[in-house]
């Protein structure tokens, strides 16, 4: 079984674009939630959102003017920027004229090019099907993001897109990890992206799972673990991690951010309390416990948890599940944080963006703060000591971190990241 390390990362988040800016933002607890006039004009209950600020000048660093002509797929744009940044951060050359059969990508998405799809529908209905343009299919197929990345990087190994709702990003990392661990690839670009805008977020607004109480205070709106939480804030963006076989990384003297020790993916089968929108607690606990076993560690070894924690009524249940799965509570509970307090719920992009934040903590030795949870929910305080839910930046040596995502359809994924301690046997 090959050891798998992380040699590059990229991120396009509502509160920052680029790794250094993102690291600074999460250390300082910077929110990327803003009032969205379009949502207000369309009569949404929730009129705030987290959307990366990607302008034309930035886009032209990754796409040609010809490629951007009639381009209308934010999710692909976010994913390609994050993916190419991770590739270059790993010190790997762009090789458009050759095929790299040792490298591939598993880059997840929930939907692709929803605005382009809408544009296409109107043209078709108006009898203008021939005016759709040559890239309409590439922008609207779910695998558009991995196809674009595969072409730009000349990837010759597996090139695919996974889709498992909010679990997509964490699942993509574990799928890529398994491919390298089994010896089928040397490098895999793993990540996920989420499109932005009303056509993505309307369904959640209709379900009444998004907050409507903070339209006049956007930065206060996303409140994971808070007693005053009233639903999640929709977000979007992309995260990417370049996973690499340890021997390959060492041979080229690559910078190593950390190591993937193990993980697990499962489903609750929508039984025992699980449903299309709610997790089966037994499956969640099994996912976490099996991830710990796969990583070859003890539950006591985990220093910090980056939870799913969406600012809904299920936050307390999630903390309870973590506590029971690890057998830890009170002051013995690991530090726990939720990036969603700063960026909102980035849906299919959430797991990968949050994983980038988790690995940054390991690499630089800190725990980023939770914001907007001064009024911690009593259910959570009854399980976890307040000191374990940091509200300020903590400089701390973090050696092992757990990251989990729980998605619609009752699907779960948990990955265990370790700080890089060298090539000596673990």
């Amino acid at each position: 079984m090959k050891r798998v390390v992380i040699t590059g990362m990229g991120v396009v988040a509502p509160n920052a674009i680029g790794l250094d800016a993102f690291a600074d933002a999460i250390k300082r607890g910077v929110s990327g939630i803003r009032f969205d006039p379009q949502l207000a004009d369309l009569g949404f209950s929730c009129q705030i959102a987290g959307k990366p600020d990607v302008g034309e000048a930035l886009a032209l660093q990754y796409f040609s003017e010809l490629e951007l002509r009639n381009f209308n797929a934010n999710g692909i744009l976010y994913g390609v920027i994050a993916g190419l940044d991770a590739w270059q951060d790993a010190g790997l050359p762009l090789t458009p004229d050759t095929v790299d059969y040792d490298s591939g990508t598993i880059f997840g998405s929930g939907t692709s090019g929803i605005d382009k799809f809408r544009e296409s529908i109107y043209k078709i209905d108006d009898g203008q099907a021939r005016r759709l343009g040559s890239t309409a299919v590439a922008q609207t197929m779910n695998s558009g993001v991995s196809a674009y990345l595969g072409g730009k990087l000349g990837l010759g190994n597996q090139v695919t897109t996974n889709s498992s709702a909010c679990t997509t990003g964490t699942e993509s990392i574990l799928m890529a990890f398994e491919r390298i661990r089994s010896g089928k690839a040397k490098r895999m670009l793993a990540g996920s992206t989420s499109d932005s805008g009303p056509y993505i977020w309307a369904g959640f607004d209709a379900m009444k799972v998004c907050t409507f109480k903070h339209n006049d205070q956007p930065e206060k709106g996303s409140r994971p673990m808070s007693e005053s939480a009233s639903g999640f804030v929709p977000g979007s963006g992309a995260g990417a991690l370049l996973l690499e076989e340890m021997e390959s990384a060492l041979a080229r003297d690559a910078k190593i951010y950390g190591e993937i020790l193990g993980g697990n993916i499962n489903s609750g089968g929508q039984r025992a309390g699980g449903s299309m929108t709610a997790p089966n607690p037994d499956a969640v606990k099994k996912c976490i416990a099996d991830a710990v076993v796969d990583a070859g560690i003890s539950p006591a070894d985990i220093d910090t948890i980056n939870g799913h924690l969406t600012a809904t009524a299920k936050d307390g249940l999630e903390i309870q599940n973590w506590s029971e799965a690890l057998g830890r509570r009170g002051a013995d509970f690991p530090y726990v944080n939720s990036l969603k307090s700063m960026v909102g719920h980035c849906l299919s992009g959430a797991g990968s963006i949050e994983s980038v934040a988790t690995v940054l903590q390991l690499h630089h030795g800190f725990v980023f703060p939770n914001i907007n949870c001064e009024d911690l929910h009593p259910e959570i305080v009854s399980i976890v000591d307040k000191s374990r839910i940091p509200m300020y930046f903590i400089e701390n040596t973090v050696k092992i971190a757990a990251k989990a995502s729980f998605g619609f359809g009752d699907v779960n994924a948990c990955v265990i990241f370790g700080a890089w301690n060298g090539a000596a046997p673990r």
Side-chain angles (χ1 to χ4, degrees), residues 202-343:
F204 299 105
D205 198 69
M207 290 174 64
K208 300 182 179 180
V209 294
C210 297
T211 183
F212 60 90
K213 294 184 177 181
H214 299 89
N215 292 334
D216 59 341
Q217 293 182 302
E219 295 183 359
K220 299 290 186 182
S222 187
R223 309 184 65 80
M225 296 185 282
S226 166
E227 186 175 14
S228 56
S230 54
F232 72 77
V233 174
S236 56
L241 296 87
L242 197 288
L243 310 188
E244 188 165 359
E245 177 189 288
M246 182 184 72
E247 289 83 356
S248 169
L250 293 174
R252 62 185 191 87
D253 197 25
K255 170 180 58 184
I256 296 177
Y257 286 101
E259 182 174 4
I260 298 184
L261 305 181
N264 188 54
I265 303 168
N266 77 0
S267 170
Q270 299 181 40
R271 301 291 191 276
S275 68
M276 182 62 74
T277 60
N280 173 344
D282 293 335
V284 168
K285 288 181 279 190
K286 178 175 173 56
C287 182
I288 295 167
D290 288 352
V292 169
V293 171
D294 186 64
I297 64 169
S298 162
D301 295 329
I302 295 174
D303 298 307
T304 186
I305 293 166
N306 182 254
H308 190 57
L309 297 168
T310 58
T312 64
K314 296 296 182 182
D315 285 3
L317 176 60
E318 180 179 335
I319 293 296
Q320 179 181 335
N321 288 335
W322 279 107
S323 176
E324 293 180 9
L326 299 177
R328 299 175 64 180
R329 61 183 300 120
D332 180 53
F333 199 83
Y335 286 116
V336 58
N337 51 24
S338 173
L339 186 68
K340 293 180 180 73
S341 63
M342 301 181 214
V343 302

Side-chain angles (χ1 to χ4, degrees), residues 41-52:
D41 291 344
L42 292 171
F44 276 54
S45 296
C46 178
Q47 298 171 6
I48 60 176
K51 184 176 179 180

Side-chain angles (χ1 to χ4, degrees), residues 4-275:
V4 181
V5 296
I6 302 155
T7 55
M9 295 193 291
V11 65
V12 176
N15 62 346
I17 297 172
L19 205 58
D20 290 342
F22 183 66
D24 178 67
I26 64 174
K27 287 178 180 179
R28 295 190 295 115
V30 175
S31 173
I33 309 300
R34 303 288 182 266
F35 177 74
D36 191 320
Q38 187 180 21
L39 300 185
D41 291 344
L42 292 171
F44 276 54
S45 296
C46 178
Q47 298 171 6
I48 60 176
K51 184 176 179 180
D53 184 14
V54 178
E56 183 179 0
L58 178 61
L60 283 169
Q61 296 178 32
Y62 301 86
F63 291 85
S64 68
E65 289 187 12
L66 181 61
E67 286 176 316
L68 287 177
R69 188 177 299 169
N70 299 318
F71 191 91
N72 198 4
N74 283 332
I76 291 175
L77 184 66
Y78 302 153
V80 169
I81 292 173
L84 294 184
D85 279 359
W87 185 267
Q88 292 181 291
D89 182 50
L92 296 169
L94 297 176
T95 54
D97 297 326
T98 60
V99 180
D100 181 357
Y101 291 105
D102 290 325
S103 302
T105 185
I106 300 176
F107 215 97
S109 175
T111 56
S112 183
I114 194 74
D115 286 336
K116 186 67 177 181
F117 192 66
R118 175 178 178 270
E119 174 190 317
S120 300
I121 290 173
Y122 279 114
K123 285 184 177 179
I124 293 168
D125 288 346
D126 288 342
Q128 301 180 48
R130 294 184 180 181
R131 297 183 59 189
L132 291 180
S134 60
T135 64
V137 173
Q139 290 187 60
T140 57
M141 65 186 190
N142 208 42
S143 58
V145 63
S146 59
Y148 271 93
L149 284 166
K152 287 183 176 294
L153 296 172
L155 303 178
N157 207 281
Q158 182 179 6
V159 173
T160 193
T161 292
N162 65 306
S163 188
S164 294
C166 308
T167 303
T168 298
T170 308
E171 180 185 69
S172 71
I173 293 166
L174 287 169
M175 292 171 70
F177 164 68
E178 289 292 350
R179 190 157 184 85
I180 298 172
R181 183 160 72 164
S182 65
K184 294 180 179 178
K186 286 187 178 179
R187 289 166 295 275
M188 292 294 294
L189 182 60
S192 65
T193 187
S194 178
D195 217 331
S196 58
Y199 306 108
I200 297 293
W201 300 327
F204 299 105
D205 198 69
M207 290 174 64
K208 300 182 179 180
V209 294
C210 297
T211 183
F212 60 90
K213 294 184 177 181
H214 299 89
N215 292 334
D216 59 341
Q217 293 182 302
E219 295 183 359
K220 299 290 186 182
S222 187
R223 309 184 65 80
M225 296 185 282
S226 166
E227 186 175 14
S228 56
S230 54
F232 72 77
V233 174
S236 56
L241 296 87
L242 197 288
L243 310 188
E244 188 165 359
E245 177 189 288
M246 182 184 72
E247 289 83 356
S248 169
L250 293 174
R252 62 185 191 87
D253 197 25
K255 170 180 58 184
I256 296 177
Y257 286 101
E259 182 174 4
I260 298 184
L261 305 181
N264 188 54
I265 303 168
N266 77 0
S267 170
Q270 299 181 40
R271 301 291 191 276
S275 68

Side-chain angles (χ1 to χ4, degrees), residues 357-417:
T358 303
V359 175
L360 284 171
Q361 292 182 121
L362 291 170
H363 183 63
H364 293 295
F366 70 90
V367 180
F368 68 79
N370 298 279
I371 64 173
N372 302 328
C373 64
E374 306 84 8
D375 56 334
L376 286 168
H377 199 288
E379 287 182 6
I380 293 173
V381 176
S382 69
I383 301 169
V384 181
D385 190 86
K386 291 182 179 180
S387 65
R388 311 313 289 172
I389 306 174
M391 299 182 199
Y392 301 95
F393 168 84
I394 297 175
E395 189 169 357
N396 188 32
T397 301
V398 181
K399 295 181 178 180
I400 296 179
K403 166 67 202 150
S405 299
F406 312 115
F408 272 24
D410 198 8
V411 290
N412 313 303
C414 180
V415 58
I416 308 296
F417 295 107

